[in-house]
Amino acid sequence: MERVISTRPLVSGSAEGILLVSVEPLSFWGGYDAQTGEIIDRRHPLSGHIAAGCILALPSSRGSSTTSAVLLEAVRLGRAPAAIITSSRDTYFALASIVAGELYDASFPVLAVPADIRQSLVSGARAVVEPEGILRVG
Amino acid sequence: MAQYGALFSRHSISYIKDSICVARSNNQIELSESDSAALEGAAGPAVKMAMRILVKMAVLYGARALLDITQAHIDSTVYIGDAGLEYAEGLANMGAKVAVPTTLNVSGVDEYHWQEWPVPPEWAGKARRQMDAYQNMGCTPTWTCAPYQTEQRPQFGQQVAWGESSAIVFANSVIGARTERYPDLLDICCAITGRAPAAGLHLSENRAGQVLLHLVDVPIELQETDTFYTVLGFLMGRLVDDEVPVLVGLEVEPGEDQLKALGATAASTGRTAMFHVVGVTPEAPTLDIAFHGKEPQRQIDISEADLREARRKLSTTGDARLDMIVLGSPHFSLAEFSQLQLLITGQLCSPDLEFVVTSSRGVALLAERAGYLQSLRRFGGKLTVDTCILTTPMLPDGVETIMTNAGKFAYYVPGLLGAQVVFGTLQECIASAIAGRILLNDELWNE
């Protein structure tokens, strides 16, 4: 059955992909290979997963300031997540999307949802993001 | 493709007297006359683009206005791919100039010595183009992740815009300068416009402690070691989210390099941008002042066992052939060079491994004058400046295991270098360098 979730878009847009969910924050520098889209933080639960094209749900970024630059590079190479769902006022993902819009006209949706809703998402489900911030799962 | 512009089209901008209000759902930002003019392009295309990005981000930060900064530190300097290069060159080619004194973080290559390492020339060429772009914007070529170890160290209370996670936490906590936790790409927008969102750690009320970190029965002998601060940082980053922790229970006075290690490691395992140590850091003379007179939102106890477990987690192996030892993440300070000299004088590094110290060109000049670099060379060690071994593809073939005393470096090695890492004390690193194999013999930490 389809689930419809209303989100707060930090950067709005459309996307479609498979959900990839973790309760642990991620630094993209040292944690995401922009060439392949693989999560390479070997201490992270999603280590080894390919997040390119997925709708990635994380509580926030962590660690390096270079997270935004790595994510921008992944956009350039077509290996970024299709959308990112987060719960905090973390700005790192949104910045990468805004600059990707400036440089490549290729911004991607970054959505904020309450933590309990994010935690109820399950990896593997198909999801669609609509421009108004509606997230349809399943 | 997404359209952010729908929320930020010109239709949502209305003129009110001398200012522009950009309205967006529950948040309004009021721009000054000069901010508005910059946004309209009065100061040229580079300032216009920087201001456009900054204003969009300021809304997300929840800022009601922008404020003046008097200094910036740019983390977007490292070449990690063509996007960052195109961004930097795009700004530079539009004539961007920084509006405030601006230091630069580690570069993509050691500018004058990269040929001594197996760095691909094409890669080095692009890294140097990115370095040139930031210098052309008027930034100071400090090339260091530790800008607080340069002449442009900010002062207490100064409003700055810094990138580089380890530097941000140092500026806020140890110096009492004020910066949000700025990401790459936005830092240069702040520097070009001389403005930052009036939000987050720029504002006094957000600098209050929130979480009490209580050291419980941690022996003073452990507290006196450098390793203690690194493993405490590992825990702090993990246990505290984006809140401001307040550390109590410390019975010794930590040095600046120990606080540097504490913050850098916490900003790797988590996103700590500011901490207080009661009786030590400048905004925490007392517990009450650290919390701005409020109650802690929660308390976390940290025991000796927690610290020992955190220390184990910093290593991914303890029993392997050792290929390389790396010190200086964040960049080695003059005091750390002095500490190193005492341990290596009269000793020789094993020829079976590489021993490398990373620092800035500025600190390296002072270390040369002080004779510290001569000691390092006699020991058989190398120095690399400007860059970081985590960011430049400079490792010799066959490096599978790296040892370090730096928590930040230990945290990122497995992902960025695909190598195993051993975390040890400085003394253990030196003993291992001499022996040519991993020696974990510290009596306090190895029970």
Side-chain angles (χ1 to χ4, degrees):
Chain A
M1 212 184 101
E2 188 185 70
R3 191 172 159 209
V4 180
I5 299 164
S6 177
T7 75
R8 186 168 69 88
L10 304 177
V11 183
S12 61
S14 310
E16 197 173 339
I18 302 294
L19 280 173
L20 187 61
V21 183
S22 177
V23 295
E24 190 156 327
L26 178 69
S27 171
F28 274 53
W29 186 72
Y32 193 94
D33 185 336
Q35 311 261 343
T36 62
E38 183 191 339
I39 292 174
I40 53 167
D41 179 345
R42 300 303 171 213
R43 295 174 169 94
H44 197 279
L46 294 181
S47 172
H49 283 77
I50 303 290
C54 289
I55 296 182
L56 183 62
L58 296 168
S60 67
S61 73
R62 72 173 168 211
S64 174
S65 299
T66 308
T67 280
S68 302
V70 172
L71 187 48
L72 179 69
E73 178 67 9
V75 172
R76 189 185 73 85
L77 296 171
R79 302 303 292 166
I84 297 182
I85 300 170
T86 178
S87 289
S88 72
R89 61 178 197 95
D90 193 309
T91 55
Y92 283 33
F93 304 138
L95 174 67
S97 178
I98 288 169
V99 177
E102 290 279 345
L103 286 191
Y104 306 119
D105 193 23
S107 64
F108 55 89
V110 181
L111 312 173
V113 296
D116 57 334
I117 290 181
R118 184 180 41 76
Q119 285 160 10
S120 74
L121 299 173
V122 181
S123 287
R126 184 145 201 94
V128 175
V129 177
E130 296 176 353
E132 303 75 25
I134 301 293
L135 176 69
R136 295 180 186 275
V137 181
Chain B
M1 285 305 167
Q3 286 299 319
Y4 189 91
L7 289 171
F8 247 93
S9 67
R10 294 178 57 86
H11 303 295
S12 64
I13 300 176
S14 59
Y15 290 82
I16 298 175
K17 290 182 184 168
D18 293 330
S19 63
I20 291 180
C21 267
V22 181
R24 198 200 139 205
S25 60
N26 57 352
N27 189 28
Q28 272 202 337
I29 181 163
E30 194 160 319
L31 299 179
S32 72
E33 200 172 339
S34 62
D35 292 338
S36 306
L39 194 58
E40 295 292 313
V47 176
K48 181 178 181 175
M49 176 170 150
M51 185 59 87
R52 187 165 62 233
I53 295 170
L54 178 58
V55 170
K56 285 179 182 178
M57 292 303 295
V59 171
L60 298 183
Y61 278 101
R64 304 279 168 179
L66 303 179
L67 52 72
D68 280 336
I69 53 163
T70 52
Q71 202 254 10
H73 178 68
I74 308 303
D75 192 50
S76 326
T77 44
V78 178
Y79 175 75
I80 53 160
D82 286 359
L85 174 60
E86 287 166 9
Y87 182 69
E89 287 189 338
L91 284 167
N93 291 341
M94 281 193 282
K97 296 287 174 203
V98 292
V100 293
T102 301
T103 49
L104 292 170
N105 206 56
V106 292
S107 59
V109 284
D110 180 337
E111 189 172 13
Y112 299 112
H113 311 95
W114 64 268
Q115 294 94 338
E116 296 167 16
W117 302 83
V119 182
E122 190 198 340
W123 200 95
K126 288 184 170 180
R128 291 200 56 177
R129 271 170 55 192
Q130 193 158 325
M131 295 169 79
D132 288 343
Y134 283 104
Q135 280 187 256
N136 290 341
M137 291 187 233
C139 307
T140 310
T142 46
W143 309 127
T144 182
C145 51
Y148 43 85
Q149 293 170 185
T150 72
E151 289 170 351
Q152 292 189 33
R153 178 180 169 120
Q155 297 186 343
F156 180 85
Q158 194 174 343
Q159 294 285 6
V160 301
W162 277 23
E164 169 56 42
S165 61
S166 65
I168 292 163
V169 64
F170 190 97
N172 279 317
S173 314
V174 182
I175 299 174
R178 297 180 171 212
T179 178
E180 242 307 299
R181 179 177 163 265
Y182 287 116
D184 286 29
L185 314 171
L186 183 58
D187 46 18
I188 188 65
C189 296
C190 295
I192 289 168
T193 57
R195 304 282 277 168
L201 294 171
H202 288 292
L203 307 181
S204 299
E205 62 264 32
N206 298 324
R207 300 175 68 83
Q210 293 164 292
V211 180
L212 186 66
L213 276 189
H214 187 211
L215 293 171
V216 182
D217 298 332
V218 175
I220 196 162
E221 298 80 30
L222 284 186
Q223 295 189 22
E224 285 171 338
T225 66
D226 295 343
T227 294
F228 166 76
Y229 295 92
T230 305
V231 296
L232 179 62
F234 183 97
L235 284 171
M236 190 160 87
R238 280 278 163 96
L239 296 169
V240 179
D241 189 26
D242 61 347
E243 306 134 300
V244 178
V246 179
L247 185 67
V248 294
L250 202 60
E251 294 170 82
V252 298
E253 172 102 6
E256 182 162 311
D257 287 313
Q258 292 172 327
L259 294 173
K260 168 171 109 171
L262 171 67
T265 314
S268 302
T269 63
R271 49 178 179 151
T272 308
M274 181 170 190
F275 62 83
H276 298 294
V277 183
V278 174
V280 174
T281 54
E283 293 177 51
T286 67
L287 187 66
D288 193 51
I289 293 171
F291 280 101
H292 290 202
K294 295 179 204 135
E295 288 295 310
Q297 293 166 6
R298 58 195 174 108
Q299 174 172 337
I300 300 171
D301 291 343
I302 292 180
S303 68
E304 182 181 348
D306 297 331
L307 291 161
R308 291 189 182 281
E309 194 195 340
R311 176 176 169 273
R312 283 190 290 274
K313 285 182 177 164
L314 275 163
S315 296
T316 58
T317 184
D319 179 25
R321 190 194 71 197
L322 184 59
D323 303 305
M324 194 171 195
I325 295 169
V326 177
L327 309 177
S329 172
H331 275 168
F332 234 40
S333 68
L334 198 61
E336 287 172 315
F337 273 113
S338 160
Q339 199 182 358
L340 176 67
Q341 188 193 35
L342 290 175
L343 296 168
I344 59 175
T345 300
Q347 305 283 345
L348 270 184
C349 179
S350 162
D352 298 332
L353 51 78
E354 297 262 17
F355 184 92
V356 185
V357 179
T358 61
S359 187
S360 67
R361 54 176 69 178
V363 167
L365 272 175
L366 297 173
E368 185 73 274
R369 287 276 175 92
Y372 300 151
L373 296 191
Q374 191 179 32
S375 300
L376 178 63
R377 287 190 291 265
R378 281 184 180 157
F379 178 65
K382 288 183 182 172
L383 173 78
T384 182
V385 296
D386 297 347
T387 186
C388 168
I389 288 168
L390 293 171
T391 60
T392 304
M394 60 191 285
L395 282 194
D397 281 342
V399 172
E400 289 171 12
T401 307
I402 304 176
M403 188 171 184
T404 186
N405 70 335
K408 176 173 182 170
F409 192 77
Y411 189 79
Y412 287 117
V413 159
L416 283 169
L417 303 180
Q420 300 287 323
V421 68
V422 186
F423 172 74
T425 65
L426 179 63
Q427 290 77 3
E428 287 172 329
C429 288
I430 306 305
S432 301
I434 295 165
R437 63 190 170 86
I438 299 166
L439 270 184
L440 295 171
N441 56 3
D442 187 280
E443 287 179 8
L444 282 171
W445 286 100
N446 295 281
E447 296 163 300

